Amino acid sequence: MQEAWNFDHINEVQRLYVAFISENLARLSSTKATPEELMQLLRMEHQAFAQAMSIDPLLPEELLPSDYIGQRAYALHQECLEHVAGQL
């Protein structure tokens, strides 16, 4: 599978997303955001997540490389949505 898709590149793009969303989740946990700020975060998060996942072949787990982080990216995406929904 490594030869069919460039998982080094996929992981790098997804690492950027994970760093972006982790930083923003930490900020959300420590401060109260306005509804406008939350909507802006959702727009940015949506765009970043779409970019991170658009290059992912979304293979079954048994075919993924051991260092694949797409599942972590998806979990953080869900966490962000839940966190924002809880604040609105």
Side-chain angles (χ1 to χ4, degrees):
M1 285 301 139
Q2 285 290 105
E3 297 80 34
W5 290 281
N6 185 347
F7 275 100
D8 290 336
H9 178 67
I10 292 167
N11 279 338
E12 180 57 31
V13 172
Q14 290 178 346
R15 272 189 205 93
L16 291 171
Y17 170 79
V18 166
F20 163 79
I21 201 60
S22 295
E23 180 179 326
N24 281 285
L25 282 169
R27 285 182 186 158
L28 284 174
S29 296
S30 65
T31 61
K32 178 76 171 148
T34 67
E36 293 80 17
E37 291 169 329
L38 293 172
M39 293 307 295
Q40 177 64 20
L41 173 60
L42 283 178
R43 283 189 288 276
M44 293 169 50
E45 190 280 335
H46 176 75
Q47 183 177 19
F49 183 72
Q51 288 177 331
M53 299 308 287
S54 68
I55 58 174
D56 192 318
L58 303 173
L59 298 171
E61 188 170 351
E62 59 271 6
L63 298 178
L64 294 170
S66 60
D67 63 343
Y68 175 72
I69 63 168
Q71 293 160 329
R72 174 81 176 129
Y74 180 75
L76 287 170
H77 167 70
Q78 291 298 112
E79 184 179 338
C80 178
L81 296 179
E82 291 169 7
H83 193 90
V84 170
Q87 288 197 17
L88 289 176

